[in-house]
Amino acid sequence: MLNNIFDRLKKMKSLSSWFILIVSIALLVSSCAKSDDSKTATTSSTDDTTSSSDDSSITTELEGTWVTSCNTASWDNNHYVIETITVSGSALVWKWDEHSDSSCSNDYIIWTDTHSSLSLGNEVTLDNGSKATKFTMKVDSLEALMKTSAAATDYNNDDWCGDSDWALNTVKDYSGKTCGGVTYPKRKVTVSGVYKLDGSSLLINTDNITSVGSTVFTKGNSTSSSSSTVLFVGVGDNGNIVRSTDNGSSWDNATSPTSNLLYGVTFGNNTFVGVGVLGNIVRSTDNGSSFDNATSPTSNNINAVTFANNTFAAVGDNGTIVRSTDNGSSFDNASSPTSNKLWGVTFGNNTFAAVGKYGIIVRSTDNGSSWDNASSPTATHLTGVTFGNNTFVGVGDNGNIVRSTDNGSSWDNVSTPTSNNINAVTFGNNTFVGVGVSGNIVRSTDNGSSWDNVTSPTANGFYGVTFANNTFVGVGVSGNIVRSTNNGSYFDNVTSPTANHLAGITGAE
């Protein structure tokens, strides 16, 4: 069943007030604006409070999304913040959406603290005599995302965290760094805190485990435009479909209507579409919880699919190109200029581009109705393609990387840091990331002009990679899933619910 996939992949962020402490969780690392404002975290497991119950790792009562109203930022009286805590299983994400207006409409900076291994422990007695519950969790990342050029300039002028390269819409992880005189916890450090539930209200603190403070979180949907639900869906061997609803921290199997190998998956118009062998097409309109078969016009293997302009376009063996304009309910064949296998497809600047066997590149400028050959600089198999910053990038066998800056009309070879096959490529936060055999990961931050190798947490091969909500996720051999929340600088393994090979991955916000 995997013959085709192996052939395709190469034959393979000094608190000025005590109040801020409450706003910070798990290291309070995320906020901190200016050198005299910062968040600190308790990294010691010492507990001087009274214990009255056994440790427990059950996190059910915290499960879901907790959000504050728009409040004045403790670190800047001229700024305002909405805080959101999302708990899913053992994953906790604390986000501060910092705004420059009192209605919290104008984004300034987004601070995101990501944690894993959340465990609820003993009941403790606070200084005021009330009871609360202690918890611990590990730091995965502490990130800042500048949402305005003014924010980036302010932080560069302050050399915050010793950095002067803060940039618009580019995530930076400051875990383990000293910023504004405060040293933030390193990745994998365990931090502790206390919380108290009062009906649908949550009080929580990670700096002082003898008080929960007064910042109130209410359970419900986040009012922040930046904290929408993020879904990742992966597909693979035996029709396996996996799904994550917590930004790729944990995964579950989803219901699949097929036992056939699925090669690719994409998302558009609140619909996931997966494709695979024998023309198999599956579709989900319930956030990837379950899938149904869709009508397919071909029995040829379909290797990849993408979405744009209210159109799903998919490519496959024998130059097959199929297209749907009814949200993936049905597909029709499109005119193809090649009989070569096509292994990757993407969209940018009103242009669909696909790549395949012997370096073939085809493109469409009429929403996928008709396609023409484009000039290719290589005869080496190209297995993946993506688009970002007005640049198309294709990857393939022997580490081959090609690039187009003229809407896919012509392409040039790019210097590569590897001779290993690169099977897939994606783009996010001004960064291209490619993945391939033997756990190989490569990365470019200059629009695909030059590339470097990235340390990989696995030697297993990768087949797919995607980006959503400041997170890169890669999938591959034996169900391997890896994840990066620091712009692809490094990746960590994530527990997978399957041992089946995963061939495709997509994200939806």
Side-chain angles (χ1 to χ4, degrees):
M1 180 172 288
L2 287 173
N3 287 343
N4 183 284
I5 197 170
F6 291 137
D7 172 58
R8 170 172 70 99
L9 302 173
K10 162 49 170 174
K11 313 179 214 163
M12 310 247 117
K13 133 109 129 157
S14 103
L15 288 183
S16 58
S17 70
W18 193 79
F19 175 79
I20 185 77
L21 295 174
I22 300 160
V23 207
S24 327
I25 182 167
L27 32 126
L28 275 311
V29 311
S30 84
S31 154
C32 57
K34 304 301 179 187
S35 61
D36 59 342
D37 312 301
S38 53
K39 298 188 175 100
T40 58
T42 300
T43 58
S44 170
S45 60
T46 300
D47 183 2
D48 296 325
T49 56
T50 302
S51 170
S52 61
S53 65
D54 295 333
D55 285 346
S56 172
S57 61
I58 299 173
T59 61
T60 303
E61 67 179 5
L62 289 181
E63 192 83 13
T65 298
W66 304 81
V67 63
T68 70
S69 57
C70 180
N71 299 315
T72 301
S74 297
W75 57 91
D76 188 340
N77 289 333
N78 295 315
H79 282 192
Y80 303 82
V81 65
I82 294 174
E83 299 173 51
T84 304
I85 296 174
T86 302
V87 177
S88 179
S90 63
L92 185 152
V93 177
W94 194 318
K95 183 177 290 188
W96 291 259
D97 288 321
E98 184 179 346
H99 302 269
S100 58
D101 65 307
S102 59
S103 61
C104 284
S105 299
N106 300 321
D107 287 345
Y108 183 71
I109 301 174
I110 298 175
W111 307 92
T112 305
D113 296 358
T114 303
H115 309 277
S116 60
S117 303
L118 173 64
S119 179
L120 309 188
N122 297 334
E123 182 181 81
V124 296
T125 301
L126 304 178
D127 284 348
N128 63 6
S130 65
K131 302 293 185 179
T133 302
K134 184 178 177 180
F135 65 90
T136 61
M137 57 190 176
K138 288 184 178 181
V139 177
D140 284 350
S141 64
L142 307 177
E143 297 177 336
L145 176 64
M146 303 291 136
K147 297 301 292 182
T148 68
S149 296
T153 298
D154 286 346
Y155 279 73
N156 284 329
N157 289 339
D158 286 349
D159 284 328
W160 202 71
C161 299
D163 294 333
S164 58
D165 58 348
W166 297 91
L168 177 65
N169 291 327
T170 300
V171 170
K172 285 179 68 69
D173 189 321
Y174 55 92
S175 55
K177 292 187 176 183
T178 298
C179 313
V182 175
T183 298
Y184 291 96
K186 296 180 180 179
R187 298 173 61 246
K188 305 305 181 184
V189 164
T190 297
V191 297
S192 60
V194 289
Y195 75 89
K196 182 178 182 179
L197 283 174
D198 183 6
S200 61
S201 297
L202 170 69
L203 300 175
I204 190 166
N205 189 7
T206 59
D207 282 323
N208 183 342
I209 61 174
T210 64
S211 171
V212 292
S214 58
T215 300
V216 178
F217 290 78
T218 303
K219 194 167 189 177
N221 294 323
S222 168
T223 59
S224 166
S225 61
S226 304
S227 54
S228 56
T229 298
V230 181
L231 298 172
F232 286 98
V233 170
V235 299
D237 197 15
N238 299 316
N240 205 186
I241 302 175
V242 297
R243 174 178 177 263
S244 171
T245 60
D246 60 1
N247 214 37
S249 295
S250 62
W251 297 73
D252 295 297
N253 287 303
T255 301
S256 176
T258 181
S259 59
N260 288 330
L261 171 61
L262 295 172
Y263 288 132
V265 62
T266 195
F267 176 84
N269 275 359
N270 298 311
T271 302
F272 287 94
V273 170
V275 297
V277 299
L278 304 176
N280 205 198
I281 303 176
V282 299
R283 175 177 179 264
S284 171
T285 57
D286 62 358
N287 285 335
S289 295
S290 63
F291 284 73
D292 295 301
N293 287 306
T295 302
S296 176
T298 183
S299 59
N300 288 325
N301 293 342
I302 306 178
N303 302 317
V305 61
T306 194
F307 176 87
N309 281 357
N310 293 311
T311 302
F312 287 96
V315 299
D317 290 1
N318 302 315
T320 295
I321 303 175
V322 298
R323 173 177 179 266
S324 172
T325 57
D326 61 0
N327 226 32
S329 295
S330 63
F331 284 74
D332 295 302
N333 286 306
S335 175
S336 176
T338 183
S339 60
N340 287 334
K341 290 183 178 180
L342 296 172
W343 285 312
V345 63
T346 193
F347 179 90
N349 282 354
N350 293 312
T351 302
F352 283 99
V355 299
K357 193 172 183 178
Y358 304 133
I360 190 72
I361 303 175
V362 299
R363 70 194 279 268
S364 171
T365 57
D366 61 1
N367 223 34
S369 295
S370 63
W371 298 67
D372 295 299
N373 286 307
S375 175
S376 176
T378 183
T380 301
H381 300 335
L382 295 175
T383 54
V385 64
T386 194
F387 177 88
N389 280 357
N390 295 309
T391 303
F392 285 96
V393 170
V395 298
D397 285 5
N398 305 319
N400 204 203
I401 303 175
V402 298
R403 177 175 177 265
S404 172
T405 57
D406 61 0
N407 276 359
S409 296
S410 63
W411 299 67
D412 296 299
N413 285 308
V414 179
S415 178
T416 179
T418 182
S419 59
N420 289 331
N421 296 345
I422 306 175
N423 298 324
V425 64
T426 193
F427 176 87
N429 277 351
N430 296 307
T431 302
F432 288 95
V433 170
V435 298
V437 301
S438 302
N440 206 195
I441 305 175
V442 297
R443 176 177 178 261
S444 172
T445 58
D446 61 0
N447 272 3
S449 296
S450 63
W451 297 72
D452 295 297
N453 285 306
V454 176
T455 300
S456 177
T458 181
N460 287 335
F462 292 112
Y463 299 141
V465 64
T466 194
F467 176 88
N469 195 44
N470 300 314
T471 303
F472 287 96
V473 175
V475 297
V477 171
S478 301
N480 200 196
I481 304 175
V482 299
R483 174 177 177 264
S484 172
T485 57
N486 69 341
N487 232 34
S489 295
Y490 53 78
F491 285 74
D492 292 303
N493 285 307
V494 181
T495 300
S496 176
T498 182
N500 286 323
H501 299 331
L502 294 174
I505 179 73
T506 195
E509 296 184 56

